[in-house]
Coordinates of all heavy atoms in Angstrom, one line a residue:
M1 N 115.0 117.4 260.0 CA 114.8 117.4 261.4 C 113.8 118.6 261.7 O 113.8 119.5 260.9 CB 116.1 117.6 262.1 CG 116.3 118.8 263.0 SD 117.9 119.1 263.7 CE 119.1 118.4 262.7
K2 N 113.1 118.4 262.8 CA 112.1 119.5 263.2 C 112.6 120.1 264.5 O 113.1 119.4 265.4 CB 110.8 118.8 263.4 CG 110.2 118.4 262.1 CD 108.8 117.7 262.3 CE 108.1 117.3 261.1 NZ 108.6 117.0 259.9
L3 N 112.5 121.4 264.5 CA 112.8 122.2 265.7 C 111.5 122.8 266.2 O 110.9 123.7 265.4 CB 113.9 123.2 265.5 CG 114.1 124.2 266.6 CD1 114.4 123.6 267.9 CD2 115.3 125.1 266.2
Y4 N 110.9 122.4 267.3 CA 109.6 123.0 267.8 C 109.9 124.1 268.7 O 110.8 124.0 269.6 CB 108.8 121.9 268.5 CG 108.4 120.8 267.6 CD1 109.1 119.7 267.4 CD2 107.1 120.9 266.9 CE1 108.7 118.7 266.5 CE2 106.7 119.9 266.0 CZ 107.5 118.8 265.9 OH 107.1 117.8 265.0
V5 N 109.2 125.2 268.6 CA 109.4 126.4 269.4 C 108.0 126.7 270.1 O 107.0 126.9 269.4 CB 109.8 127.6 268.6 CG1 110.1 128.8 269.4 CG2 111.1 127.2 267.8
C6 N 108.1 126.8 271.4 CA 106.8 127.2 272.1 C 106.5 128.7 271.9 O 107.4 129.5 272.0 CB 107.0 126.9 273.6 SG 105.5 127.4 274.6
T7 N 105.3 128.9 271.5 CA 104.9 130.3 271.2 C 104.2 131.0 272.4 O 103.8 132.1 272.3 CB 104.0 130.4 269.9 OG1 102.8 129.6 270.2 CG2 104.7 129.9 268.7
L8 N 104.0 130.2 273.5 CA 103.4 130.8 274.6 C 104.4 131.3 275.6 O 104.1 132.1 276.5 CB 102.4 129.8 275.3 CG 101.1 129.5 274.6 CD1 100.2 128.6 275.4 CD2 100.4 130.8 274.2
C9 N 105.6 130.8 275.5 CA 106.7 131.3 276.3 C 107.0 132.7 275.9 O 106.7 133.2 274.8 CB 108.0 130.5 276.1 SG 107.9 128.8 276.8
E10 N 107.6 133.5 276.8 CA 107.8 134.9 276.6 C 108.6 135.2 275.3 O 108.2 136.0 274.5 CB 108.6 135.5 277.8 CG 108.7 137.0 277.7 CD 109.4 137.6 278.9 OE1 109.5 137.0 280.0 OE2 109.8 138.8 278.8
L11 N 109.7 134.6 275.1 CA 110.5 134.8 273.9 C 109.7 134.3 272.7 O 109.8 135.0 271.6 CB 111.8 134.1 274.0 CG 112.9 134.4 273.0 CD1 113.2 135.9 273.0 CD2 114.2 133.6 273.3
G12 N 109.0 133.2 272.8 CA 108.2 132.7 271.7 C 107.1 133.7 271.2 O 106.8 133.7 270.0
R13 N 106.6 134.5 272.1 CA 105.6 135.5 271.7 C 106.2 136.7 271.0 O 105.5 137.5 270.4 CB 104.9 136.0 273.0 CG 104.0 135.0 273.6 CD 103.1 135.5 274.7 NE 103.8 136.3 275.7 CZ 104.2 135.8 276.9 NH1 104.0 134.6 277.2 NH2 104.9 136.6 277.8
T14 N 107.6 136.8 270.9 CA 108.2 137.9 270.3 C 108.8 137.5 268.9 O 109.6 138.2 268.3 CB 109.3 138.5 271.1 OG1 110.4 137.5 271.3 CG2 108.8 138.9 272.5
G15 N 108.4 136.3 268.4 CA 108.9 135.9 267.1 C 110.2 135.1 267.1 O 110.9 135.1 266.1
F16 N 110.5 134.4 268.2 CA 111.7 133.7 268.3 C 111.8 132.6 267.2 O 112.9 132.3 266.7 CB 111.8 133.0 269.7 CG 113.1 132.4 270.0 CD1 114.3 133.0 269.7 CD2 113.1 131.1 270.5 CE1 115.5 132.3 270.0 CE2 114.3 130.4 270.8 CZ 115.5 131.1 270.6
A17 N 110.6 132.1 266.8 CA 110.6 131.0 265.7 C 111.2 131.6 264.4 O 112.0 130.9 263.7 CB 109.2 130.5 265.5
D18 N 110.9 132.8 264.1 CA 111.5 133.5 262.9 C 113.0 133.6 263.0 O 113.7 133.4 262.1 CB 110.8 134.8 262.6 CG 109.4 134.6 262.2 OD1 109.0 133.6 261.5 OD2 108.6 135.5 262.4
T19 N 113.4 134.0 264.2 CA 114.9 134.2 264.5 C 115.6 132.8 264.2 O 116.6 132.8 263.6 CB 115.1 134.6 265.9 OG1 114.5 135.9 266.1 CG2 116.6 134.7 266.2
L20 N 115.0 131.7 264.7 CA 115.5 130.4 264.6 C 115.5 130.0 263.1 O 116.5 129.4 262.6 CB 114.8 129.4 265.4 CG 115.1 129.5 266.9 CD1 114.2 128.6 267.7 CD2 116.6 129.2 267.2
R21 N 114.4 130.3 262.4 CA 114.4 129.9 261.0 C 115.5 130.6 260.2 O 116.1 129.9 259.3 CB 113.0 130.4 260.4 CG 111.9 129.5 260.6 CD 110.6 130.0 259.9 NE 109.5 129.2 260.5 CZ 108.6 129.7 261.4 NH1 108.7 130.9 261.8 NH2 107.7 128.9 261.9
D22 N 115.8 131.8 260.5 CA 116.9 132.5 259.8 C 118.3 132.0 260.2 O 119.2 132.1 259.4 CB 116.9 134.0 260.1 CG 115.6 134.7 259.5 OD1 115.0 134.1 258.6 OD2 115.3 135.8 260.0
A23 N 118.4 131.4 261.4 CA 119.7 131.0 261.9 C 120.1 129.5 261.8 O 121.2 129.2 261.8 CB 119.7 131.3 263.4
M24 N 119.1 128.7 261.6 CA 119.3 127.2 261.6 C 120.0 126.8 260.3 O 119.7 127.4 259.2 CB 118.0 126.5 261.8 CG 117.6 126.5 263.2 SD 118.7 125.6 264.3 CE 119.2 126.9 265.4
P25 N 120.8 125.8 260.3 CA 121.4 125.2 259.1 C 120.3 124.6 258.2 O 119.2 124.3 258.6 CB 122.4 124.2 259.6 CG 122.0 123.9 261.0 CD 121.2 125.0 261.5
P26 N 120.6 124.4 256.9 CA 119.7 123.8 256.0 C 119.2 122.4 256.6 O 120.0 121.7 257.2 CB 120.4 123.6 254.7 CG 121.6 124.6 254.8 CD 121.9 124.8 256.2
G27 N 118.0 122.1 256.3 CA 117.4 120.8 256.7 C 116.7 120.9 258.0 O 116.1 119.9 258.5
V28 N 116.7 122.0 258.7 CA 116.0 122.2 260.0 C 114.7 122.9 259.7 O 114.7 124.1 259.3 CB 116.8 123.0 261.0 CG1 116.0 123.1 262.3 CG2 118.1 122.3 261.3
E29 N 113.6 122.2 259.9 CA 112.3 122.8 259.8 C 111.8 123.4 261.1 O 111.7 122.6 262.1 CB 111.3 121.8 259.3 CG 109.9 122.3 259.1 CD 108.9 121.2 258.6 OE1 109.3 120.0 258.6 OE2 107.8 121.6 258.3
V30 N 111.7 124.7 261.3 CA 111.2 125.3 262.5 C 109.7 125.4 262.5 O 109.1 126.0 261.7 CB 111.9 126.7 262.7 CG1 111.4 127.3 264.0 CG2 113.4 126.6 262.7
L31 N 109.1 124.8 263.6 CA 107.7 124.7 263.7 C 107.3 125.4 265.0 O 107.9 125.2 266.0 CB 107.2 123.3 263.7 CG 107.5 122.5 262.4 CD1 107.3 121.0 262.6 CD2 106.7 123.0 261.2
E32 N 106.2 126.1 265.0 CA 105.6 126.7 266.2 C 104.6 125.8 266.8 O 103.8 125.3 266.1 CB 105.1 128.1 265.8 CG 106.1 129.0 265.2 CD 105.5 130.4 264.7 OE1 104.8 131.0 265.5 OE2 105.8 130.7 263.6
I33 N 104.6 125.8 268.1 CA 103.7 125.0 268.9 C 103.2 125.8 270.1 O 104.0 126.5 270.7 CB 104.2 123.6 269.2 CG1 103.2 122.7 269.9 CG2 105.5 123.7 270.1 CD1 103.5 121.3 269.9
E34 N 101.9 125.7 270.4 CA 101.4 126.5 271.5 C 102.0 126.3 272.8 O 102.2 127.2 273.6 CB 99.9 126.5 271.5 CG 99.3 127.8 271.3 CD 97.8 127.7 271.3 OE1 97.2 127.3 272.3 OE2 97.2 128.2 270.4
C35 N 102.3 125.0 273.2 CA 102.8 124.7 274.5 C 103.4 123.3 274.5 O 102.9 122.4 273.9 CB 101.7 124.8 275.6 SG 102.3 124.6 277.3
M36 N 104.5 123.2 275.2 CA 105.2 122.0 275.4 C 105.3 121.6 276.9 O 106.1 120.8 277.3 CB 106.6 122.0 274.8 CG 106.5 122.0 273.2 SD 108.1 121.7 272.4 CE 108.8 123.4 272.5
S37 N 104.5 122.3 277.7 CA 104.4 122.0 279.1 C 105.7 122.2 279.9 O 106.0 121.5 280.9 CB 103.8 120.6 279.4 OG 102.5 120.5 278.9
G38 N 106.5 123.1 279.4 CA 107.8 123.4 280.1 C 107.7 124.7 280.7 O 108.7 125.4 280.8
C39 N 106.6 125.1 281.1 CA 106.3 126.5 281.6 C 107.2 127.0 282.7 O 107.5 128.2 282.8 CB 104.9 126.7 282.0 SG 103.7 126.3 280.7
S40 N 107.7 126.1 283.6 CA 108.6 126.5 284.6 C 110.0 126.8 284.1 O 110.8 127.3 284.9 CB 108.6 125.4 285.7 OG 109.2 124.2 285.2
R41 N 110.2 126.4 282.8 CA 111.6 126.6 282.2 C 111.4 127.5 281.0 O 112.0 127.1 279.9 CB 112.2 125.3 281.9 CG 112.3 124.3 283.1 CD 113.6 124.4 283.9 NE 114.8 124.4 283.2 CZ 115.6 123.3 283.0 NH1 115.1 122.1 283.4 NH2 116.7 123.4 282.3
D42 N 110.7 128.5 281.0 CA 110.4 129.4 279.9 C 111.6 129.8 279.2 O 112.6 130.3 279.8 CB 109.7 130.7 280.5 CG 109.1 131.6 279.5 OD1 109.5 131.6 278.3 OD2 108.3 132.5 279.9
Q43 N 111.8 129.6 278.1 CA 111.5 129.3 276.7 C 111.9 127.9 276.4 O 113.0 127.5 276.7 CB 112.2 130.3 275.8 CG 112.1 130.0 274.3 CD 110.7 130.3 273.8 OE1 110.1 131.3 274.0 NE2 110.1 129.3 273.1
T44 N 110.9 127.1 275.9 CA 111.2 125.7 275.5 C 111.3 125.6 274.0 O 110.7 126.2 273.3 CB 110.2 124.7 276.1 OG1 108.9 125.1 275.6 CG2 110.2 124.7 277.6
V45 N 112.2 124.6 273.6 CA 112.4 124.2 272.3 C 112.6 122.7 272.3 O 113.1 122.2 273.3 CB 113.5 124.9 271.5 CG1 113.3 126.4 271.5 CG2 114.9 124.6 272.1
A46 N 112.3 122.0 271.2 CA 112.5 120.6 271.1 C 113.0 120.2 269.7 O 112.5 120.8 268.7 CB 111.2 119.9 271.4
F47 N 114.0 119.3 269.7 CA 114.5 118.8 268.4 C 114.0 117.4 268.3 O 114.1 116.6 269.2 CB 116.0 118.8 268.5 CG 116.7 120.1 268.3 CD1 116.9 120.9 269.4 CD2 117.1 120.5 267.1 CE1 117.5 122.2 269.3 CE2 117.7 121.8 266.9 CZ 117.9 122.6 268.0
R48 N 113.5 117.0 267.1 CA 113.0 115.7 266.8 C 113.3 115.3 265.4 O 113.3 116.1 264.5 CB 111.5 115.6 266.9 CG 110.9 115.7 268.3 CD 109.5 115.3 268.3 NE 109.5 113.9 268.1 CZ 108.9 113.0 268.9 NH1 108.3 113.4 270.0 NH2 109.0 111.7 268.7
E49 N 113.6 114.0 265.2 CA 113.8 113.4 263.9 C 113.4 112.0 264.0 O 113.7 111.3 265.0 CB 115.2 113.6 263.5 CG 115.4 113.2 262.0 CD 116.8 113.5 261.5 OE1 117.4 114.5 261.9 OE2 117.3 112.8 260.6
D50 N 112.7 111.4 263.0 CA 112.2 110.1 263.1 C 113.4 109.1 263.4 O 114.4 109.2 262.8 CB 111.6 109.7 261.7 CG 110.2 110.3 261.5 OD1 109.6 110.8 262.5 OD2 109.8 110.4 260.3
G51 N 113.1 108.2 264.3 CA 114.1 107.2 264.7 C 115.2 107.7 265.6 O 116.1 106.9 266.0
K52 N 115.2 108.9 266.0 CA 116.2 109.5 266.9 C 115.7 109.9 268.2 O 114.5 110.2 268.3 CB 116.9 110.7 266.3 CG 117.7 110.4 265.1 CD 118.5 111.7 264.6 CE 119.4 111.5 263.5 NZ 120.2 112.6 263.2
T53 N 116.5 109.9 269.2 CA 116.2 110.5 270.5 C 115.8 111.9 270.3 O 116.5 112.6 269.6 CB 117.4 110.3 271.5 OG1 117.7 109.0 271.7 CG2 117.1 111.0 272.8
A54 N 114.7 112.3 270.9 CA 114.3 113.7 270.9 C 114.8 114.5 272.1 O 115.0 113.8 273.2 CB 112.8 113.8 270.8
Y55 N 115.0 115.8 272.0 CA 115.5 116.6 273.1 C 114.5 117.8 273.3 O 114.2 118.5 272.4 CB 116.9 117.1 272.8 CG 117.9 116.1 272.9 CD1 118.1 115.2 271.8 CD2 118.7 115.9 274.0 CE1 119.1 114.2 271.8 CE2 119.7 114.9 274.0 CZ 119.9 114.1 273.0 OH 120.8 113.1 273.0
L56 N 114.2 118.0 274.6 CA 113.4 119.2 275.0 C 114.4 120.0 275.9 O 114.9 119.5 276.9 CB 112.2 118.8 275.8 CG 111.4 119.9 276.4 CD1 110.7 120.7 275.3 CD2 110.3 119.3 277.3
F57 N 114.6 121.3 275.5 CA 115.4 122.2 276.3 C 114.5 123.3 276.8 O 113.6 123.7 276.2 CB 116.5 122.8 275.4 CG 117.5 121.8 274.8 CD1 117.4 121.4 273.5 CD2 118.4 121.3 275.7 CE1 118.3 120.5 273.0 CE2 119.4 120.4 275.2 CZ 119.3 120.0 273.9
G58 N 114.9 123.9 278.0 CA 114.2 125.0 278.6 C 115.2 126.1 279.0 O 116.4 125.9 278.9
D59 N 114.6 127.2 279.4 CA 115.4 128.3 279.8 C 116.3 128.9 278.7 O 117.4 129.4 278.9 CB 116.4 128.0 281.0 CG 115.6 127.6 282.3 OD1 114.5 128.2 282.5 OD2 116.0 126.7 283.0
I60 N 115.8 128.7 277.5 CA 116.5 129.2 276.3 C 116.4 130.7 276.2 O 115.3 131.3 276.4 CB 115.9 128.5 275.0 CG1 116.1 127.0 275.1 CG2 116.5 129.1 273.8 CD1 117.5 126.5 275.2
T61 N 117.5 131.3 275.8 CA 117.5 132.8 275.6 C 118.2 133.0 274.2 O 118.7 132.1 273.6 CB 118.3 133.5 276.6 OG1 119.7 133.2 276.5 CG2 117.9 133.2 278.1
L62 N 118.2 134.3 273.8 CA 118.9 134.6 272.5 C 120.3 134.3 272.6 O 121.0 134.0 271.6 CB 118.6 136.1 272.2 CG 117.2 136.4 271.7 CD1 117.1 137.9 271.5 CD2 117.0 135.8 270.3
A63 N 120.9 134.3 273.8 CA 122.3 134.0 274.0 C 122.7 132.6 273.6 O 123.8 132.2 273.4 CB 122.7 134.3 275.4
D64 N 121.6 131.7 273.6 CA 121.9 130.3 273.2 C 121.8 130.0 271.7 O 121.9 128.9 271.3 CB 120.8 129.4 273.9 CG 120.9 129.5 275.4 OD1 122.0 129.3 275.9 OD2 119.8 129.8 276.1
L65 N 121.6 131.0 270.9 CA 121.5 130.8 269.5 C 122.6 130.0 268.9 O 122.4 129.1 268.1 CB 121.3 132.1 268.8 CG 120.8 132.1 267.3 CD1 119.5 131.3 267.2 CD2 120.6 133.5 266.8
T66 N 123.8 130.4 269.2 CA 125.0 129.7 268.6 C 125.0 128.2 269.0 O 125.3 127.3 268.2 CB 126.3 130.4 269.0 OG1 126.3 131.7 268.5 CG2 127.5 129.6 268.4
E67 N 124.7 128.0 270.3 CA 124.7 126.6 270.8 C 123.5 125.8 270.2 O 123.7 124.6 270.0 CB 124.7 126.6 272.3 CG 126.0 127.0 272.9 CD 126.2 126.8 274.3 OE1 125.1 126.9 275.1 OE2 127.3 126.7 274.8
L68 N 122.4 126.4 269.9 CA 121.3 125.7 269.2 C 121.7 125.4 267.8 O 121.4 124.3 267.3 CB 120.0 126.6 269.2 CG 119.3 126.8 270.6 CD1 118.3 127.9 270.6 CD2 118.7 125.5 271.1
Q69 N 122.4 126.3 267.1 CA 122.9 126.0 265.8 C 123.9 124.8 265.8 O 123.8 123.9 265.0 CB 123.6 127.2 265.2 CG 122.7 128.4 264.9 CD 123.5 129.6 264.6 OE1 124.5 129.9 265.3 NE2 123.1 130.4 263.6
N70 N 124.8 124.8 266.8 CA 125.7 123.7 266.9 C 125.0 122.4 267.2 O 125.4 121.4 266.7 CB 126.7 124.1 268.0 CG 127.8 123.0 268.1 OD1 128.5 122.7 267.1 ND2 128.1 122.5 269.3
F71 N 124.0 122.5 268.1 CA 123.3 121.2 268.5 C 122.6 120.7 267.2 O 122.6 119.5 267.0 CB 122.2 121.5 269.5 CG 121.5 120.2 269.9 CD1 122.0 119.3 270.8 CD2 120.3 120.0 269.3 CE1 121.3 118.1 271.1 CE2 119.6 118.8 269.6 CZ 120.1 117.9 270.5
A72 N 122.0 121.5 266.4 CA 121.3 121.1 265.2 C 122.3 120.3 264.3 O 122.0 119.3 263.7 CB 120.7 122.3 264.4
K73 N 123.5 120.8 264.1 CA 124.5 120.2 263.3 C 124.9 118.8 263.9 O 125.1 117.8 263.2 CB 125.7 121.1 263.1 CG 125.5 122.3 262.3 CD 126.6 123.3 262.3 CE 126.3 124.6 261.7 NZ 127.3 125.6 261.8
L74 N 125.2 118.8 265.2 CA 125.6 117.6 265.9 C 124.5 116.5 265.8 O 124.7 115.4 265.5 CB 125.9 117.8 267.3 CG 127.2 118.6 267.6 CD1 127.3 119.1 269.0 CD2 128.4 117.8 267.2
Y75 N 123.2 117.0 266.0 CA 122.1 116.1 266.0 C 121.9 115.5 264.6 O 121.6 114.3 264.4 CB 120.8 116.9 266.4 CG 119.6 116.1 266.7 CD1 119.5 115.2 267.7 CD2 118.5 116.2 265.9 CE1 118.4 114.5 267.9 CE2 117.3 115.5 266.1 CZ 117.3 114.6 267.1 OH 116.1 113.9 267.4
A76 N 122.0 116.3 263.6 CA 121.9 115.9 262.2 C 122.9 114.8 261.9 O 122.7 113.8 261.2 CB 122.0 117.0 261.2
A77 N 124.1 115.0 262.4 CA 125.2 114.0 262.1 C 125.1 112.7 262.9 O 125.8 111.7 262.6 CB 126.6 114.7 262.4
S78 N 124.4 112.8 264.0 CA 124.3 111.6 264.9 C 123.3 110.6 264.3 O 122.1 111.0 264.0 CB 123.8 112.0 266.3 OG 123.5 110.9 267.0
P79 N 123.6 109.3 264.1 CA 122.7 108.3 263.5 C 121.5 108.1 264.4 O 120.4 107.7 263.9 CB 123.5 107.1 263.4 CG 124.7 107.3 264.3 CD 124.9 108.7 264.4
D80 N 121.6 108.2 265.7 CA 120.5 107.9 266.6 C 120.1 109.0 267.5 O 119.2 108.9 268.4 CB 120.8 106.6 267.4 CG 122.0 106.8 268.3 OD1 122.6 107.9 268.4 OD2 122.4 105.8 269.0
G81 N 120.8 110.2 267.5 CA 120.4 111.3 268.3 C 121.1 111.3 269.7 O 120.8 112.1 270.5
N82 N 121.9 110.3 269.9 CA 122.6 110.2 271.2 C 124.0 110.6 271.1 O 124.7 110.6 270.1 CB 122.5 108.7 271.7 CG 121.1 108.3 272.0 OD1 120.4 109.0 272.8 ND2 120.7 107.2 271.4
F83 N 124.5 111.1 272.3 CA 125.9 111.6 272.3 C 126.6 111.0 273.5 O 126.2 111.0 274.6 CB 125.9 113.2 272.5 CG 125.1 113.9 271.5 CD1 123.8 114.2 271.7 CD2 125.6 114.1 270.2 CE1 123.0 114.8 270.7 CE2 124.9 114.8 269.2 CZ 123.6 115.1 269.5
P84 N 127.8 110.3 273.2 CA 128.5 109.6 274.2 C 129.0 110.5 275.3 O 129.2 110.1 276.5 CB 129.7 108.9 273.5 CG 129.7 109.5 272.2 CD 128.4 110.2 271.9
D85 N 129.2 111.8 275.0 CA 129.7 112.8 276.0 C 128.9 114.1 275.9 O 128.9 114.7 274.8 CB 131.2 113.1 275.7 CG 131.8 114.0 276.8 OD1 131.1 114.6 277.6 OD2 133.0 114.1 276.8
A86 N 128.1 114.4 276.9 CA 127.2 115.5 276.8 C 127.9 116.8 276.8 O 127.3 117.9 276.5 CB 126.3 115.5 278.1
R87 N 129.2 116.8 277.0 CA 130.0 118.1 277.0 C 129.9 118.8 275.6 O 130.1 120.0 275.5 CB 131.4 117.9 277.5 CG 131.4 117.7 279.0 CD 132.8 117.5 279.5 NE 133.3 116.2 279.0 CZ 134.5 115.6 279.2 NH1 135.4 116.3 280.0 NH2 134.8 114.5 278.7
V88 N 129.7 118.0 274.5 CA 129.7 118.6 273.2 C 128.5 119.5 273.1 O 128.4 120.3 272.2 CB 129.7 117.5 272.1 CG1 130.9 116.7 272.1 CG2 128.4 116.6 272.1
L89 N 127.5 119.3 274.0 CA 126.3 120.2 273.9 C 126.5 121.6 274.5 O 125.6 122.4 274.4 CB 125.1 119.5 274.6 CG 124.8 118.1 274.2 CD1 123.6 117.5 275.0 CD2 124.6 118.0 272.7
G90 N 127.7 121.8 275.1 CA 127.9 123.1 275.7 C 127.0 123.4 276.8 O 126.6 122.5 277.6
N91 N 126.5 124.6 276.9 CA 125.6 125.0 278.0 C 124.2 124.4 277.8 O 123.5 124.3 278.8 CB 125.5 126.6 278.0 CG 124.8 127.1 279.2 OD1 125.1 126.6 280.3 ND2 123.9 128.0 279.0
L92 N 123.9 123.9 276.7 CA 122.6 123.2 276.5 C 122.4 122.0 277.3 O 121.3 121.6 277.7 CB 122.3 122.9 275.0 CG 122.1 124.1 274.1 CD1 121.8 123.5 272.7 CD2 120.9 124.9 274.6
R93 N 123.5 121.4 277.7 CA 123.4 120.2 278.6 C 122.8 120.5 279.9 O 122.2 119.6 280.5 CB 124.8 119.5 278.7 CG 125.8 120.2 279.6 CD 127.1 119.4 279.6 NE 128.1 120.0 280.5 CZ 128.8 121.1 280.2 NH1 128.6 121.7 279.0 NH2 129.6 121.6 281.1
N94 N 123.0 121.7 280.3 CA 122.4 122.2 281.6 C 120.9 122.7 281.4 O 120.3 123.0 282.4 CB 123.2 123.3 282.2 CG 124.6 122.8 282.5 OD1 124.8 121.7 283.0 ND2 125.6 123.6 282.2
K95 N 120.5 122.8 280.2 CA 119.2 123.3 279.9 C 118.2 122.1 279.4 O 117.1 122.4 279.1 CB 119.2 124.4 278.9 CG 120.0 125.6 279.4 CD 120.0 126.8 278.5 CE 120.6 128.0 279.2 NZ 120.1 129.2 278.7
A96 N 118.7 120.9 279.4 CA 117.9 119.8 279.0 C 116.8 119.5 280.0 O 117.1 119.4 281.2 CB 118.8 118.6 278.7
I97 N 115.6 119.4 279.5 CA 114.5 119.0 280.4 C 114.2 117.5 280.2 O 114.0 116.8 281.2 CB 113.2 119.8 280.0 CG1 113.4 121.3 280.3 CG2 112.0 119.2 280.8 CD1 112.3 122.1 279.8
A98 N 114.3 117.0 279.0 CA 114.0 115.6 278.7 C 114.7 115.1 277.5 O 115.0 115.9 276.5 CB 112.5 115.4 278.5
R99 N 115.0 113.8 277.5 CA 115.5 113.1 276.3 C 114.5 112.0 276.1 O 114.3 111.2 277.0 CB 116.9 112.4 276.6 CG 118.0 113.4 276.6 CD 119.4 112.7 276.8 NE 119.4 111.5 276.0 CZ 120.0 110.4 276.3 NH1 120.7 110.3 277.4 NH2 120.0 109.3 275.5
I100 N 113.9 111.9 275.0 CA 112.8 111.0 274.7 C 113.3 110.0 273.6 O 113.7 110.4 272.5 CB 111.6 111.7 274.2 CG1 111.2 112.7 275.3 CG2 110.4 110.7 273.9 CD1 110.4 113.9 274.7
P101 N 113.4 108.7 274.0 CA 113.9 107.7 273.0 C 113.1 107.7 271.7 O 111.9 108.0 271.6 CB 113.6 106.4 273.7 CG 113.5 106.7 275.1 CD 112.9 108.1 275.2
G102 N 113.9 107.5 270.6 CA 113.3 107.5 269.3 C 112.4 106.4 269.0 O 112.2 105.4 269.7

């Protein structure tokens, strides 16, 4: 799976991608991207995997690190990237900007 991190957002300019690389479970490739057009929801990140629904989250802070780790595990375990109950996403369900079909 790929985790994209905006490097133009405030947190992204401080090395947030490196923080995520150190924190993510095995199998998560953290990639830096200049902009994901989520500027009104500074800091954006996106999870993608071939054939799965992709997720774009905004308003991410360091306090979301544990929930991002949990999401990565849930996403990896999901065959299609969909969740029947969004409550498993914790606070990230309120930070979702978009779900993009696989």
